[in-house]
Amino acid sequence: LRLDDDSSTSRGALRRHRVNIYAFGTHCSVMAEPVSAMALLLSAEFELQVVWRGTKEYCGYHSGNWPVVTRDEASPVREVFDAFHERDLGRGSHRDWLRDPRSFEQALQAALAREGTSFSRAHLAFCSEPALACLTMHDLGKPVLGYFGVHPAFMVKDQEEQLALYRRLRDNVAND
């Protein structure tokens, strides 16, 4: 990662670096865990600046001295997710998936382009559900950190598309 120098320091003092993170995922609680840990445990080394996108569920339960996760009401990427997200509320459970995953990725790429500097200046893309967003951001040249509350192919319904997603994670992202 190429980081922005954030502070002038005296001789021998540790330099803090600003790390711009573009975070995309649907559940605030899942997204909050690693960001809060990084911000608190590495506060002497890094200042995290986070743009939260996609987050909608389980928001409002987080506070503290870190870039607190916020609900995404209407960003371009949230609109794309909402347009492709399906949910089946079964008996005592639910099943989420993306309708037409390939078209979702194409629409997400276009939405990320509309995000402007929020995405383009990010040093790191942080992602959760749906994992296809991780692949899309990686395909656009961002180093990716993924953190999932379920298996990465959870939101892909078709078995062959699930296997293709895992192959892409293995062949493309894992090597970086």
Side-chain angles (χ1 to χ4, degrees), residues 109-137:
Q109 279 190 359
L112 288 167
R114 289 193 308 275
E115 285 279 52
T117 58
S118 294
F119 182 71
S120 67
R121 290 194 179 156
H123 300 108
L124 177 68
F126 172 63
C127 53
S128 184
E129 301 168 25
L132 279 173
C134 304
L135 292 167
T136 302
M137 291 188 286

Side-chain angles (χ1 to χ4, degrees), residues 150-166:
V150 294
H151 69 90
F154 173 75
M155 293 191 80
V156 177
K157 200 171 186 179
D158 179 75
Q159 183 179 5
E160 286 305 313
E161 288 192 25
Q162 287 182 354
L163 292 172
L165 182 145
Y166 281 116

